[in-house]
Amino acid sequence: MIKRFIYCILLALFSSSLPALDTGNGHRAAITSLISGGNSFISSAEDGFIEIWNPAEKNARRFQLTPYKIQMMIKNPSKEELCIVEAAGIDDYRLSVWNYISMEKIFSVNSKEPVNYINYSAGGSFIIAAGFDGKHLALLDSVTGEIKTVPDIPAGFVTLAATGRAERNMLIYQMEHEDFSQPEGQILYVDINSASVTGCFQAPGSILKPIIFGNNRFIAGINWEGLLLVDASSGAVLDCIEELKNSALLCSAGEGFFYFNNDKNELYEFSVDSAGIMEIHNEYNIPPGNPVKSIAFNENAALAASNGNIYLIDKSGKIIVMEHEHQTHITEIAVSDSSIAVLTEQSNMFFLPLDYRLLERTRNITTKIKNGYNKITAIPVLPDNSGRAQRLNKFILWQNANIRYFPEIVNSDHSIDEYKLNFLLERYPIRSISMMDKMILVLDNAGNVSVSSYGNAKKGFSFSSVGAIDAAFIDSQRIIICRSVMRGNSPFLIVNHKTGETVPVAAGARAQAGIMAYTAPAGHIVPSEIYAAAVERDNEITKTAVYAVSAAPGGEAPRKILEYPGEDILLSITHSKGNPAIVCGGQGAAIYSEETVNFERSPGLPVRLIGCEEYIISLDSEGSICWHENTSGKLLAVFKTYGNRWILRTGAREVSGGFS
């Protein structure tokens, strides 16, 4: 029987004797939804990832849809598509639809107001969204995201909406409505073709996260009175269990439903008898452990725990814990002539060959602890005294949190260079460090810029710019500063560090700040333009734009390459094979040439791009290092670390090793 089946599930949830299946990475943030996806279960979390748990194949597939919090998620009942609501910031919410098999985005639409509730119509032809762009309720086309209908309903907080199979009528429950002097809610029936209300019934108020079940006959949910069973056709309360309140999770299951109380670690299985009375089949006392965050049910039961594990039951009745091993995050990388310097979340530093194929002959990688450091800048190819290029594998190791740890030069064999950089750190933490030829450019948090000669233990040129956010070399004489726009300032300022001459550069009529600048490092094909990003605000809409800025005196006005609808101050820009590559706003990375070429994705979204002669290297949000072909964006290899071991995947091939 189902009741005995579920009882065995939950009694064993926290038992150490449960058979466990390691599925790789799991959620690092709180789970927000768990839904049934046919033969699989799909979970979403505040880290923007979804995880598809497949009990038949005994694995899980992980993919990041957005860098923002996924607030809620539903599945199209007739397609392999998900609809999610993202919270990108104040007055910035997004409703997006993805194919969760191909991991392709179908569309994304913005809302200035929070979206409080979503559901698909019974056939999946439209999405029901409450609060979208401030509307009480809107019906969106599930293919395009365009608003099809705005039902004419009274003001109120919608927490449940469902259609019949024919999608001609819709039931709506409002936990509060425009008569706020009364604590009641109401049930509305709406004719979808005319968008008009055809029926209105008073119902209990303040039912949070109600469910509908029994072929849309019953509504169940929790309010201050307890667990309520409501007649969906009239709003009448059929039954109430007063002692079941608070911190409850409900999940519909055909003709009945499940109720889980996290406060008491109790689960109840309910059915409804012919008189409309809720019957408890069994009461289950769950041993203390990780709180359950969500429940889903199809032919099997699934529960999502706060630690990211999913508890599944196969058809034979065996309990399986879909547990995971978190990947060790790589937090920072830098690329020299032939090496990649790496820092992890555990403060380990190690070096990889720039050519990933050399890792196939490697078994152990040497690591060193570098506590207190979180940034790396590569020292580029430097000319020797005769003018010939010295190919170095040297890096500046530094940090931007305080002034306690001085920058130091580290070689790829882990030795520390005798040349000291203590003079670079003074009264304020360092914001950025970059190099060109034998010059070091430093920007601190107070907006002080300095240019020093590599090899001399003292600062050279100094300049102060209030609100400076980033700085980069243009050539051997000029730098570009990105800054906040205050009192009519331009977002970008070109400074000649030989003469002190300044040239303001305007970009966009409503720029709020210049936030990033990039130029190709020495030894690469130097572009005729530099790339700079700005945050703009136009008609109360915030945008992030990337410009190609002419470095020539009296050159053309900045040319816009990319515009993103939202603010992204953590975008990344690089350059390879004569074209810029940019990652911005959770849209993945792309190469911008005559045509936009999107990168092939790894499971995590790229957060950092570094261009070199043969590849574009990316660091993704999972902490993986990825090698991409630098004209097509094809994913060539992925490097991951798990504690004391590492894995390199190249297509279907996998090699692994350890750390020492």
Side-chain angles (χ1 to χ4, degrees):
M1 294 175 64
I2 290 180
K3 58 188 178 183
R4 289 296 175 193
F5 183 63
I6 300 299
Y7 175 74
C8 293
I9 293 172
L10 293 166
L11 187 61
L13 277 182
F14 301 98
S15 169
S16 61
S17 63
L18 289 178
L21 179 63
D22 182 5
T23 59
N25 288 345
H27 291 296
R28 283 178 172 259
I31 290 176
T32 56
S33 300
L34 179 68
I35 60 175
S36 170
N39 294 325
S40 61
F41 291 94
I42 307 169
S43 57
S44 66
E46 292 183 357
D47 57 8
F49 279 84
I50 63 167
E51 192 113 14
I52 302 173
W53 309 82
N54 193 320
E57 297 180 5
K58 299 181 179 179
N59 62 22
R61 184 185 180 194
R62 178 171 167 80
F63 197 81
Q64 188 176 18
L65 303 184
T66 172
Y68 310 116
K69 174 183 177 180
I70 298 177
Q71 293 184 309
M72 57 191 79
M73 173 179 67
I74 55 171
K75 182 190 175 298
N76 190 315
S78 59
K79 297 180 181 179
E80 294 170 328
E81 293 178 1
L82 300 173
C83 177
I84 64 171
V85 174
E86 312 165 42
I90 299 174
D91 299 332
D92 189 1
Y93 303 88
R94 293 142 197 221
L95 188 149
S96 304
V97 170
W98 287 76
N99 182 304
Y100 64 86
I101 301 300
S102 64
M103 295 301 176
E104 294 177 335
K105 184 186 289 187
I106 309 300
F107 68 81
S108 183
V109 289
N110 288 60
S111 173
K112 295 180 182 178
E113 300 290 336
V115 179
N116 305 312
Y117 174 83
I118 53 171
N119 195 14
Y120 273 101
S121 59
S125 60
F126 59 86
I127 298 164
I128 307 165
F132 182 81
D133 253 352
K135 298 174 176 60
H136 305 320
L137 201 70
L139 308 185
L140 283 67
D141 189 289
S142 64
V143 176
T144 66
E146 295 180 359
I147 295 178
K148 297 176 62 175
T149 305
V150 177
D152 184 17
I153 64 173
F157 199 84
V158 175
T159 56
L160 177 67
T163 72
R165 294 179 182 177
E167 298 185 343
R168 291 195 296 264
N169 297 288
M170 178 169 53
L171 175 151
I172 300 168
Y173 169 73
Q174 291 179 312
M175 61 180 288
E176 293 175 341
H177 55 92
E178 57 188 357
D179 184 10
F180 291 108
S181 62
Q182 299 295 325
E184 287 85 12
Q186 64 181 355
I187 292 174
L188 305 174
Y189 279 86
V190 173
D191 177 78
I192 294 174
N193 290 330
S194 66
S196 60
V197 175
T198 58
C200 178
F201 305 95
Q202 182 176 312
S206 301
I207 298 179
L208 296 172
K209 297 183 179 179
I211 60 168
I212 190 166
F213 66 98
N215 197 23
N216 290 355
R217 289 179 298 162
F218 305 113
I219 295 172
I222 302 291
N223 71 359
W224 68 89
E225 296 181 87
L227 173 62
L228 302 178
L229 180 69
V230 178
D231 188 329
S233 64
S234 67
V237 175
L238 300 176
D239 195 11
C240 175
I241 303 177
E242 295 181 0
E243 59 269 24
L244 298 183
K245 300 179 181 179
N246 305 324
S247 301
L249 298 172
L250 276 71
C251 172
S252 59
E255 294 299 314
F257 65 95
F258 295 102
Y259 170 105
F260 184 80
N261 188 322
N262 264 314
D263 288 342
K264 297 182 179 180
N265 293 315
E266 295 175 344
L267 180 89
Y268 300 95
E269 179 194 353
F270 282 96
S271 64
V272 179
D273 67 14
S274 58
I277 303 299
M278 291 181 286
E279 292 185 336
I280 300 175
H281 286 274
N282 284 291
E283 176 182 340
Y284 311 107
N285 295 313
I286 310 303
N290 296 301
V292 173
K293 293 294 185 179
S294 190
I295 306 174
F297 183 84
N298 50 27
E299 294 181 358
N300 300 313
L303 298 94
S306 60
N307 65 348
N309 287 345
I310 303 293
Y311 301 95
L312 301 173
I313 313 302
D314 66 16
K315 292 183 178 180
S316 68
K318 185 171 66 174
I319 304 165
I320 300 173
V321 182
M322 302 285 277
E323 60 185 17
H324 56 269
E325 176 188 13
H326 281 311
Q327 181 177 332
T328 302
H329 265 204
I330 293 171
T331 57
E332 174 73 343
I333 60 172
V335 175
S336 70
D337 183 62
S338 60
S339 297
I340 302 175
V342 179
L343 273 176
T344 75
E345 62 182 338
Q346 299 171 344
S347 299
N348 287 314
M349 186 176 191
F350 58 89
F351 299 89
L352 301 175
L354 182 56
D355 186 345
Y356 65 88
R357 292 165 292 193
L358 298 178
L359 280 168
E360 297 180 3
R361 300 194 295 270
T362 303
R363 285 296 173 262
N364 284 299
I365 296 173
T366 301
T367 67
K368 297 287 185 181
I369 295 293
K370 292 293 182 180
N371 289 321
Y373 293 96
N374 61 0
K375 296 290 182 180
I376 314 173
T377 297
I379 297 178
V381 175
L382 299 178
D384 60 16
N385 293 333
S386 65
R388 290 178 298 182
Q390 301 179 77
R391 298 195 173 274
L392 305 175
N393 284 305
K394 293 177 178 286
F395 302 86
I396 300 175
L397 184 65
W398 56 284
Q399 52 86 27
N400 60 3
N402 51 58
I403 58 174
R404 293 202 303 267
Y405 298 91
F406 292 107
E408 59 184 33
I409 296 176
V410 181
N411 300 296
S412 60
D413 63 358
H414 287 282
S415 62
I416 305 299
D417 203 285
E418 294 181 358
Y419 175 51
K420 303 300 181 185
L421 299 176
N422 296 13
F423 67 94
L424 296 180
L425 185 60
E426 293 186 338
R427 296 174 59 190
Y428 303 101
I430 295 172
R431 192 178 187 96
S432 68
I433 296 180
S434 59
M435 287 195 66
M436 177 173 281
D437 295 334
K438 288 189 174 183
M439 297 176 294
I440 305 175
L441 171 62
V442 175
L443 168 66
D444 69 23
N445 282 350
N448 300 307
V449 179
S450 66
V451 178
S452 308
S453 177
Y454 180 83
N456 293 332
K458 61 180 181 180
K459 286 190 176 182
F461 172 81
S462 294
F463 184 86
S464 181
S465 178
V466 177
I469 297 171
D470 194 22
F473 280 109
I474 296 175
D475 51 34
S476 61
Q477 295 189 0
R478 294 175 297 167
I479 62 174
I480 182 171
I481 298 173
C482 302
R483 59 186 182 174
S484 298
V485 175
M486 295 180 291
R487 295 190 293 272
N489 285 347
S490 62
F492 310 117
L493 182 69
I494 294 176
V495 180
N496 188 312
H497 61 84
K498 300 291 187 182
T499 66
E501 178 187 6
T502 61
V503 179
V505 179
R510 301 182 184 275
Q512 304 291 299
I515 56 174
M516 177 176 289
Y518 174 84
T519 57
H524 289 228
I525 300 173
V526 180
S528 59
E529 298 170 318
I530 56 180
Y531 306 102
V535 172
E536 302 174 350
R537 193 162 178 84
D538 186 16
N539 295 326
E540 303 302 318
I541 298 174
T542 299
K543 301 176 182 179
T544 302
V546 177
Y547 292 90
V549 181
S550 174
E556 298 179 356
R559 173 174 54 87
K560 187 177 290 187
I561 299 173
L562 173 150
E563 184 176 273
Y564 169 72
E567 181 176 344
D568 184 5
I569 61 173
L570 301 177
L571 81 168
S572 182
I573 307 171
T574 192
H575 182 273
S576 186
K577 292 293 186 182
N579 296 305
I582 305 169
V583 57
C584 182
Q587 299 187 117
I591 299 167
Y592 292 84
S593 55
E594 293 181 358
E595 296 182 354
T596 300
V597 180
N598 293 316
F599 278 40
E600 183 181 352
R601 279 278 310 274
S602 60
L605 282 164
V607 296
R608 177 86 183 276
L609 301 177
I610 302 177
C612 49
E613 292 184 6
E614 189 173 355
Y615 312 111
I616 293 178
I617 309 297
S618 74
L619 176 65
D620 73 15
S621 60
E622 284 274 78
S624 303
I625 298 174
C626 306
W627 286 257
H628 298 267
E629 204 281 328
N630 57 7
T631 56
S632 68
K634 180 182 178 182
L635 184 62
L636 302 173
V638 179
F639 177 90
K640 301 182 177 186
T641 63
Y642 294 88
N644 292 321
R645 62 189 178 91
W646 58 266
I647 296 172
L648 177 75
R649 291 192 176 96
T650 55
R653 189 162 181 236
E654 180 179 298
V655 295
S656 61
F659 292 101
S660 60

